[in-house]
Amino acid sequence: MHPFEDGRLIVWIDGVLVHEAKLQALNSRRIVAFKVREGRAEQILDVTPGQHEVRVELTWSQGRSTRTKVVDVAEGATGLLEARVSRMTKDLNLAWSRLAKD
C-alpha cells in the first residue's frame, strides 16, 4: 500500500533488477482539509529456493526510501513480500511471510 499520487517502485533480488513500475494512487478521499491517497501495486515473481537479499526502492517527487530484507524462499512454496509506506512519515517497511506450499 502506498500514498503517492505518482512515484516509482524498483525491486532487486541479489543485486539484479527484477521489477520496476510506476505507482499511482488514484483513489483519494478528504479527511478534514487533507486529501488522503491510497494505492496498491502487486507483482508475482518466480524466485529460486534459498536465501535472497531483496532491495525495494520507492521514489516520489519529494523523496526516496530504500529498504533491504533477507528472505528464505522455500522450495515449492509461495511467499509474500509486503512493502508498506506510512501515509504521514513515508517510512517504508518490508515484511516477509511464507504461505502454504502450492
Side-chain angles (χ1 to χ4, degrees):
M1 306 271 297
H2 66 86
F4 305 115
E5 184 173 4
D6 70 65
R8 193 152 223 57
L9 168 71
I10 306 167
V11 180
W12 293 266
I13 297 177
D14 298 329
V16 176
L17 177 67
V18 295
H19 182 68
E20 188 171 358
K22 184 176 180 181
L23 297 176
Q24 289 186 311
L26 301 176
N27 300 334
S28 66
R29 60 180 190 238
R30 288 204 177 274
I31 298 178
V32 187
F34 298 100
K35 186 181 272 188
V36 177
R37 294 188 176 280
E38 189 171 284
R40 178 180 210 95
E42 294 181 16
Q43 181 65 38
I44 296 172
L45 301 171
D46 288 328
V47 180
T48 58
Q51 283 197 345
H52 298 279
E53 181 182 85
V54 178
R55 183 165 55 117
V56 175
E57 178 180 306
L58 289 170
T59 59
W60 62 97
S61 58
Q62 295 88 21
R64 174 178 164 243
S65 185
T66 303
R67 293 290 180 270
T68 302
K69 185 152 193 83
V70 175
V71 300
D72 189 12
V73 178
E75 188 168 345
T78 300
L80 174 67
L81 178 68
E82 189 170 13
R84 288 189 172 261
V85 181
S86 166
R87 283 189 182 115
M88 299 301 283
T89 64
K90 304 298 190 270
D91 285 339
L92 171 62
N93 292 299
L94 302 178
W96 170 254
S97 57
R98 280 193 203 172
L99 305 176
K101 287 199 173 205
D102 295 338

